[in-house]
Amino acid sequence: MGEEKEEKFKTITIPASLFKKIEERIKGTEFTSVASYVTYVLREVVEEEEEEVPFSEEDEEKVKERLKALGYLD
Amino acid sequence: MPLPKPHGGRLVNRTLSCERREAAEKEAKELPRLKLREELLSDLRNIAHGIYSPLEGFLCQDDFENVLFEKRLADDTPWTIPIILDISHEERERLELQEGDTLTLCDGSGREIALMHVESIYSYNKEEFAEKVFLTTDKAHPGVAKVYELGELLLGGEIEMFGEVEPPFSRFYLRPVETRVLFKERGWRTVAGFQTRNVPHLGHEYVQKTALTFVDGIFINPVIGKKKSGDFKDEVILAAYETLLCNYYLKENAVMSILPMEMRYAGPREAIHHAIIRKNFGCTHFIVGRDHAGVGSYYSPYAAQEIFSEFPDLGIVPVFFKSFFYCRKCMTVVNEKICPHGEEFRISFSGTKIREMLLRGEVPPPEIMRPEVAEVVKRWENPFVS
């Protein structure tokens, strides 16, 4: 069972010069390691590229109607 | 600055479309049924409506353990409060429940609300749970006491909601998909979320308005639901805020809607949870004051602010405030950073003091509470949860 279980983390390699630049960049920030910073940046990039479930104009109009009915929009 | 993406990158929607709903309702009638307590129904609705994005169901074991020990989901996304569905051994036997089964979740009256695809059934250590989440195993802590009342097993897995779980005070209830449209329509690019479980005093108003000097809008989001004895009743909080907003705020830059959810009183961990929820609603900033989501003296006054340093990847900007007081010399609301005068001039916004005054039938002075708000609160013989 244990062997079948997917590993939680994988190792990737980045150029040493880039690693050093990131090390410098995170000094004085709340990122405690290059790995946590790189994970954060990559997650942002991946999420940015992921497609949102389409929210049609019709859906948005329905939402606006409810907001108007409740007095949140004029 | 655009409104932030939902936590995890995508706003979750686990409510079924009309086409799928009919089939699910039919299926639900044939499946084992589990009745949910009121606070679990709130969690279910919060998952389904994306308030808890990226959760798509109750936590499975790997996520649960990661949240407990790392304050993150198994995929490393920040998450601090376990959203769990508990069950007793007896209940599991009665339902003959196995991993891989589908379960019908019902409300207190037995009405079918949702399907749950049970991926994980697991036991857990209550003491460890309490220690990690609440930083204490003292059963006098309301959150810890609750943990010890839970069933011995937890069920994890995705849910699909087909029945509406009408929240109380539903005219004040907005889903993240709705607040995001609302903020866009108002033209807000920056929004500060304000969490509350109190009627507003001048200190709250000052914090909100200070935030409003650098953001486009304030989103006041009172938690409605099960609270501890001595907290203000939900209806009192809402009536008090309606009055305050009507009399002292510009309509175009303030919005109030409710968050139906049980308070856990987990202090620092709950502050992160509250911030994530407001990020999902579309807030760019989240206000964290003194002893946020605390109870008694279990947490140091600013522990709920300090924990944010562990989450540089949270995706919402915390805004920290020291506690405010009224200074008779300054003749305004101030804090120790900006007021040079001594203790003898200070009137504190102590919740206990306000509570005692109200219980004695006294009206808090205007230096503490707006007279209109105090009048509203006084309409209730007992404005507090018994």
Side-chain angles (χ1 to χ4, degrees):
Chain A
M1 278 291 280
E3 283 168 26
E4 287 169 18
K5 211 170 176 181
E6 211 181 330
E7 283 177 65
K8 269 171 62 179
F9 293 93
K10 303 271 189 191
T11 306
I12 57 168
T13 55
I14 59 171
S17 57
L18 179 59
F19 186 94
K20 274 192 181 141
K21 272 188 188 171
I22 296 171
E23 254 184 341
E24 282 304 312
R25 173 170 287 204
I26 64 172
K27 272 183 191 166
T29 74
E30 284 153 350
F31 288 99
T32 52
S33 65
V34 172
S36 65
Y37 180 80
V38 171
T39 304
Y40 168 67
V41 172
L42 289 179
R43 181 170 279 139
E44 288 285 302
V45 172
V46 170
E47 282 175 5
E48 199 56 47
E49 285 172 359
E50 270 174 2
E51 266 193 39
E52 277 277 348
V53 178
F55 190 58
S56 67
E57 270 182 38
E58 196 188 336
D59 290 336
E60 191 161 329
E61 280 311 309
K62 274 187 197 160
V63 168
K64 283 182 194 166
E65 283 308 311
R66 179 165 191 265
L67 291 171
K68 280 178 192 163
L70 292 173
Y72 284 100
L73 284 179
D74 294 326
Chain B
M1 184 190 274
L3 293 180
K5 280 208 148 202
H7 201 50
R10 190 176 59 85
L11 200 56
V12 166
N13 178 9
R14 301 295 299 176
T15 57
L16 292 176
S17 60
C18 289
E19 307 86 69
R20 171 87 180 100
R21 184 172 294 194
E22 209 172 303
E25 280 172 349
K26 220 168 172 184
E27 192 185 346
K29 298 209 181 299
E30 310 297 323
L31 294 167
R33 306 154 70 84
L34 182 66
K35 270 190 190 179
L36 299 188
R37 301 183 299 273
E38 202 55 48
E39 63 270 24
L40 288 173
L41 284 170
S42 287
D43 281 343
L44 176 74
R45 181 180 47 233
N46 290 343
I47 294 166
H49 289 175
I51 293 172
Y52 290 164
S53 295
L55 300 194
E56 308 222 23
F58 291 97
L59 294 189
C60 289
Q61 188 168 9
D62 54 348
D63 278 327
F64 172 79
E65 287 173 357
N66 230 71
V67 167
L68 226 54
F69 294 103
E70 309 292 338
K71 303 182 190 129
R72 286 168 184 272
L73 297 171
D75 72 356
D76 208 39
T77 304
W79 197 272
T80 48
I81 297 290
I83 303 299
I84 48 167
L85 174 52
D86 64 300
I87 186 173
S88 65
H89 284 293
E90 295 75 27
E91 194 86 26
R92 184 195 178 175
E93 273 172 38
R94 180 185 70 80
L95 297 168
E96 297 177 5
L97 199 61
Q98 302 296 327
E99 289 179 356
D101 288 352
T102 301
L103 192 60
T104 299
L105 303 179
C106 305
D107 68 9
S109 68
R111 190 168 60 99
E112 295 116 8
I113 301 293
L115 297 180
M116 176 176 182
H117 307 287
V118 181
E119 293 159 47
S120 173
I121 304 174
Y122 55 103
S123 57
Y124 64 107
N125 181 322
K126 291 186 179 183
E127 201 172 333
E128 196 171 65
F129 183 164
E131 179 63 48
K132 291 289 175 195
V133 174
F134 300 98
L135 306 176
T136 175
T137 53
D138 181 0
K139 290 179 184 169
H141 183 298
V144 173
K146 174 79 193 295
V147 170
Y148 282 98
E149 286 168 13
L150 295 175
E152 306 83 17
L153 297 172
L154 301 177
L155 305 182
E158 293 183 357
I159 58 109
E160 290 180 296
M161 196 166 88
F162 52 81
E164 271 309 310
V165 190
E166 183 85 353
F169 312 104
S170 56
R171 76 183 172 99
F172 294 108
Y173 177 67
L174 297 179
R175 294 173 295 150
V177 74
E178 292 166 330
T179 54
R180 285 172 173 268
V181 170
L182 176 59
F183 298 164
K184 197 176 94 182
E185 284 297 301
R186 293 262 176 115
W188 296 356
R189 287 171 308 158
T190 51
V191 189
F194 184 81
Q195 144 79 32
T196 186
R197 58 183 158 108
N198 276 305
V199 301
H201 54 55
L202 250 63
H204 296 129
E205 187 182 331
Y206 194 82
V207 163
Q208 292 160 12
K209 288 184 172 171
T210 303
L212 264 175
T213 61
F214 61 87
V215 294
D216 298 330
I218 183 92
F219 177 56
I220 299 166
N221 197 207
V223 169
I224 297 299
K226 200 173 171 187
K227 297 197 184 76
K228 67 178 174 52
S229 159
D231 278 355
F232 280 100
K233 287 176 181 166
D234 293 337
E235 54 271 34
V236 182
I237 298 169
L238 292 176
Y241 260 107
E242 266 199 299
T243 303
L244 182 73
L245 288 168
C246 179
N247 287 284
Y248 294 96
Y249 284 70
L250 292 165
K251 197 182 172 198
E252 58 266 30
N253 60 18
V255 159
M256 176 181 75
S257 85
I258 58 168
L259 171 61
M261 183 179 80
E262 182 187 21
M263 277 296 299
R264 269 88 171 173
Y265 306 98
R269 274 196 185 235
E270 195 160 5
I272 298 294
H273 185 58
H274 287 165
I276 291 170
I277 287 170
R278 275 46 180 237
K279 176 184 169 189
N280 285 330
F281 277 117
C283 295
T284 50
H285 296 72
F286 180 63
I287 295 169
V288 190
R290 186 183 182 278
D291 199 24
H292 186 106
V295 59
S297 51
Y298 289 98
Y299 311 108
S300 67
Y302 295 103
Q305 298 184 354
E306 287 153 14
I307 192 173
F308 279 82
S309 66
E310 296 175 39
F311 299 94
D313 53 345
L314 199 58
I316 181 167
V317 181
V319 184
F320 302 137
F321 285 102
K322 295 270 182 194
S323 66
F324 286 86
F325 48 85
Y326 185 89
C327 171
R328 280 193 289 255
K329 195 101 172 165
C330 296
M331 291 195 295
T332 188
V333 179
V334 288
N335 67 16
E336 58 198 24
K337 256 177 103 177
I338 52 176
C339 172
H341 306 117
E343 294 269 353
E344 67 273 25
F345 297 105
R346 295 178 185 179
I347 303 173
S348 81
F349 300 118
S350 151
T352 313
K353 212 162 82 180
I354 294 173
R355 190 172 296 119
E356 283 169 2
M357 291 180 96
L358 290 167
L359 283 173
R360 284 198 301 266
E362 294 171 20
V363 178
E367 293 85 2
I368 291 182
M369 191 176 275
R370 296 286 190 190
E372 297 89 341
V373 173
E375 273 310 310
V376 166
V377 178
K378 264 197 69 189
R379 279 189 219 148
W380 276 267
E381 198 179 327
N382 180 7
F384 304 107
V385 176
S386 319

